[in-house]
Amino acid sequence: MCGIVGYVGPECSERALDVIVEGLARLEYRGYDSAGVALVADGEIAWRKKAGKLANLRAEIAEHPEPFSTTGIGHTRWATHGGPTDENAHPHLGGADDKVALIHNGIVENFHVLKQELLAEGVTFRSETDTEVAAQLLARAYAEVGDLTEAMRIVVNRLEGAFTLLAVHADLPGTVVAARRNSPLVIGLGEGENFLGSDVAAFIGHTKQAMEVDQDQIVTITKDAVEVIGFDGTPAQGKRFEVTWDAAQAEKGGHSSFMVKEILEQPAAISDTLLGRTDSTGALVLDEMRIDAERLAAVDKIVIVACGTAFYSGLTAKYGIEHWTRIPCAVELAHEFRYCDPVVDEKTLVVSISQSGETMDTLMAVKHARELGALTISICNTHGATIPRESDAALYTHAGPEIAVASTKAFTAQITACYVLGLYLAQLRGGPHAQEAQEVMRELHEVPAKVETLLQQMDRVREIARFMADTRSVLFLGRHVGYPIALEGALKLKEIAYIHAEGFAAGELKHGPIALIEPGQPVFIVVPSPSTPYHLHDKVVSNIQEIRARGARTLVITEEGDEAVLPFADEVISVPATSTLLAPLLTIVPLQVFAAELAAAKGLDVDQPRNLAKSVTVE
Ligand code: F6R
């Protein structure tokens, strides 16, 4: 997730550059792949931007010093549209005279249409980003109305998607204008200076006085004033608050660990991954993949390759992909794929899933698939990483950087992206389920709000986790899409709480694992919705009875209002109702919360478990 800083300070100190670069350093924890600054000085925009870490930007500034200035903006970018290059780094300039500089966090969904409009007017573009479109629109609007706040208002009313924008104009020393929709922005209130940031970490070294910015609001800061209006132009009041965190807490948004923060970020991770995937008629569009639609439509087999949590996201998505496309879909551990003499040819689509895009096992599987002539698509969270570069096409999850070693928000974003791909394929093929695609997309858009609701009901799950801190073994059962969720729930507990945990397909119980059940053995059961076809629900309820009869302690994750489980459940954890295939985006949440809380109760390092690395770049 990008980091954003804006600053206006007093004439006497002219230290905007220092404040901004320091703010960017404090936002480094958000993850980024390029950085840049723009200052207003002597009627011009003085800017520097560089791919890579902040050290590269600092070196660039040391080599080409920036003029003194009171006013500026700074950005750390996590690439979405366009790779992590110097050109795509922010700020982006607008207007024939480059007098506007703009930075952006989020995704402008309708940037294609807007770019065409500007190209037709003769505007030239220097980057592949959606952001540059907003910069050019802002310059055009400013030329018309001569007021940066009003120009911003005109622009935001043309943008669709999620964005925080910050802009300066060369003729306006002492002013930064910002706007926000579905993306974070907070104001820092100083004495004779004011700040803007993605979060309070950006300015916590200078002031603890802050102000919230609501959805769809525009903020104009000068050194002495802050003005807020709505996108419709009506004046608004920001809500002041005092920051009580120190700098380290601020990085984690006040949470105890990055993992907890990332679990809570899942509504945004899912909705951002859905952004820009449909056109105005509701049809799916995956232009960003730049893949030959004819070749894709001819695919007769899909193989998903991935490791760990990403593998479980593939196992989950398989059910939806096969249902919607009627194409057989196999899910292989990437490190096994090469050695199993896979039956793959040019009509096979090999989909790799990787948060980091650098997992060596997955990379090798993709290379092998290409050697065999397969079409390869990478589902990845990291722009410009090796796996998407080595694939024919990439479909990015927009979960933002994941810092905790245990993957959480990347998992739900990966399932979402796989579903988008499956639905797109179904639409391309026009089969019996093509009609369903738009309906499922509509339902998917409702999921983030349901996850948000669920996240607010996790107190009991945390209590159970604390109570179970001394547990030595936990089992997880699920059926259909609940099966990979059981596997992922067990993996989370193993990796961060170091507890023996195993996931099983509930139907497999009677074939062996039921022998493990003894009095007091805790078992989580992921129950399908009562509305799931083929009596699946009833069969899982029978499984719960079987293990309860043998003394298991049953922790049942089920749909709200499911009364059939009540007589056999020691604990019921309810999740909002949604259709069967989308339920995993909800049922995994309590299991993530459980693992994080239990690991914390044991006094373990939740974010950096022993023996594990975030990115596994060896085979
Ligand atoms: C588990 C976890 C790992 C990764 C796996 C693949 O919480 O994080 O199992 O999912 O190492 O990593 P990526 O997705 O980066 O390829």
Side-chain angles (χ1 to χ4, degrees):
M1 217 95 62
C2 308
I4 279 191
V5 185
Y7 177 72
V8 184
E11 285 86 14
C12 54
S13 81
E14 297 200 324
R15 59 184 187 131
L17 180 64
D18 296 341
V19 174
I20 291 165
V21 175
E22 182 201 323
L24 292 180
R26 289 202 191 274
L27 295 177
E28 273 194 300
Y29 76 91
R30 297 168 74 90
Y32 66 102
D33 41 41
S34 60
V37 292
L39 303 173
V40 181
D42 311 322
E44 288 188 359
I45 298 290
W47 58 272
R48 296 273 176 262
K49 53 186 189 174
K50 256 340 226 181
K53 290 293 161 197
L54 212 46
N56 296 0
L57 177 68
R58 284 195 169 112
E60 174 79 2
I61 294 171
E63 210 173 303
H64 309 281
E66 290 278 71
F68 289 112
S69 169
T70 61
T71 306
I73 52 181
H75 191 261
T76 46
R77 171 174 188 252
W78 175 258
T80 55
H81 290 84
T85 61
D86 287 357
E87 294 73 29
N88 291 334
H90 299 202
H92 289 282
L93 303 184
D97 47 8
D98 285 344
K99 284 205 160 190
V100 163
L102 179 135
I103 57 179
H104 166 217
N105 175 13
I107 297 165
V108 177
E109 279 192 277
N110 58 336
F111 91 101
H112 275 302
V113 185
L114 298 170
K115 190 165 182 174
Q116 292 313 318
E117 178 184 314
L118 289 162
L119 284 169
E121 284 176 17
V123 173
T124 50
F125 287 86
R126 285 166 279 194
S127 77
E128 303 159 284
T129 62
D130 49 343
T131 306
E132 196 178 355
V133 170
Q136 293 293 1
L137 284 176
L138 187 65
R140 188 176 75 178
Y142 183 82
E144 280 161 18
V145 296
D147 178 304
L148 195 58
T149 307
E150 179 56 13
M152 182 65 94
R153 205 182 70 74
I154 293 169
V155 172
V156 291
N157 279 299
R158 298 219 48 208
L159 304 183
E160 288 165 20
F163 48 83
T164 299
L165 302 171
L166 259 65
V168 287
H169 194 286
D171 296 342
L172 300 172
T175 303
V176 179
V177 175
R180 97 163 260 252
R181 166 177 286 168
N182 293 329
S183 193
L185 177 66
V186 60
I187 306 167
L189 304 166
E191 295 285 326
E193 58 183 356
N194 285 312
F195 307 79
L196 293 161
S198 310
D199 62 53
V200 297
F203 49 75
I204 203 159
H206 300 277
T207 180
K208 299 242 169 187
Q209 299 305 316
M211 190 183 272
E212 285 174 5
V213 182
D214 266 350
Q215 198 60 289
D216 289 2
Q217 287 190 333
I218 296 170
V219 181
T220 306
I221 62 163
T222 60
K223 70 181 170 52
D224 299 313
V226 171
E227 275 171 25
V228 185
I229 58 168
F231 281 8
D232 59 1
T234 20
Q237 285 291 327
K239 196 164 132 219
R240 290 179 77 124
F241 64 100
E242 192 173 331
V243 183
T244 50
W245 306 331
D246 61 25
Q249 285 171 312
E251 286 189 354
K252 294 173 189 157
H255 301 293
S256 53
S257 63
F258 281 111
M259 183 177 174
V260 168
K261 176 169 176 274
E262 286 159 10
I263 290 171
L264 296 172
E265 283 170 353
Q266 288 181 108
I270 298 168
S271 60
D272 287 354
T273 300
L274 290 171
L275 272 180
R277 311 296 194 194
T278 39
D279 67 14
S280 53
T281 68
L284 277 123
V285 275
L286 291 185
D287 291 349
E288 85 176 62
M289 288 206 308
R290 296 193 182 101
I291 207 164
D292 177 5
E294 241 172 77
R295 179 149 186 223
L296 206 51
V299 158
D300 64 7
K301 178 180 178 184
I302 299 170
V303 182
I304 295 178
V305 289
C307 303
T309 291
F311 173 72
Y312 296 143
S313 77
L315 274 186
T316 311
K318 168 193 162 83
Y319 294 85
I321 292 175
E322 286 191 332
H323 172 72
W324 297 314
T325 63
R326 311 313 298 157
I327 306 173
C329 174
V331 190
E332 306 281 357
L333 286 165
H335 36 88
E336 289 292 319
F337 176 73
R338 259 200 305 170
Y339 308 104
C340 67
D341 194 9
V343 184
V344 163
D345 60 24
E346 62 286 346
K347 285 184 129 187
T348 309
L349 173 64
V350 172
V351 180
S352 63
I353 308 176
S354 173
Q355 188 285 131
S356 62
E358 301 294 348
T359 301
M360 187 57 79
D361 290 321
T362 310
L363 175 63
M364 288 305 166
V366 170
K367 285 190 169 173
H368 189 56
R370 289 193 83 175
E371 277 158 24
L372 296 173
L375 182 64
T376 54
I377 294 182
S378 150
I379 290 186
C380 185
N381 197 39
T382 315
H383 257 262
T386 312
I387 297 174
R389 278 196 278 115
E390 292 284 335
S391 304
D392 294 305
L395 178 61
Y396 286 102
T397 48
H398 296 304
E402 197 177 56
I403 292 162
V405 165
S407 189
T408 53
K409 62 175 180 171
F411 177 70
T412 39
Q414 284 160 350
I415 296 173
T416 307
C418 285
Y419 280 180
V420 167
L421 180 62
L423 293 166
Y424 179 69
L425 278 171
Q427 178 184 283
L428 266 186
R429 290 163 65 86
H433 295 280
Q435 301 298 335
E436 240 180 89
Q438 295 194 14
E439 176 56 21
V440 180
M441 280 303 282
R442 196 190 54 69
E443 265 190 83
L444 264 171
H445 279 285
E446 289 169 3
V447 169
K450 293 181 184 179
V451 177
E452 194 71 67
T453 308
L454 178 59
L455 284 165
Q456 282 156 22
Q457 299 164 355
M458 287 294 99
D459 286 351
R460 181 63 190 147
V461 173
R462 285 190 208 98
E463 253 171 48
I464 300 170
R466 289 194 294 272
F467 173 76
M468 285 173 63
D470 296 328
T471 306
R472 298 182 57 136
S473 154
V474 183
L475 303 180
F476 295 76
L477 299 181
R479 206 158 177 150
H480 189 252
V481 285
Y483 167 42
I485 295 307
L487 296 174
E488 170 62 4
L491 177 62
K492 288 286 89 80
L493 202 58
K494 283 178 222 185
E495 60 181 337
I496 61 165
Y498 317 149
I499 289 180
H500 171 254
E502 276 199 73
F504 299 107
E508 191 65 9
L509 255 192
K510 55 189 174 300
H511 300 288
I514 198 162
L516 288 171
I517 304 295
E518 56 186 12
Q521 169 68 51
V523 186
F524 275 97
I525 308 103
V526 183
V527 181
S529 158
S531 61
T532 308
Y534 313 119
H535 304 291
L536 259 189
H537 173 265
D538 303 348
K539 287 181 181 154
V540 176
V541 174
S542 302
N543 294 142
I544 305 174
Q545 291 179 50
E546 283 155 22
I547 56 170
R548 188 84 176 322
R550 287 161 179 82
R553 181 157 180 261
T554 54
L555 307 148
V556 177
I557 300 176
T558 194
E559 189 176 294
E560 271 162 12
D562 177 6
E563 294 194 351
V565 298
L566 296 181
F568 319 109
D570 290 304
E571 293 285 347
V572 177
I573 301 156
S574 299
V575 302
T578 187
S579 61
T580 304
L581 289 168
L582 307 194
L585 296 168
L586 295 159
T587 51
I588 190 57
V589 172
L591 299 180
Q592 296 167 335
V593 171
F594 175 77
E597 187 72 18
L598 199 152
K602 286 178 80 170
L604 299 172
D605 184 338
V606 174
D607 288 333
Q608 296 195 327
R610 68 185 179 201
N611 306 339
L612 291 173
K614 184 68 185 157
S615 178
V616 187
T617 52
V618 288
E619 273 189 276

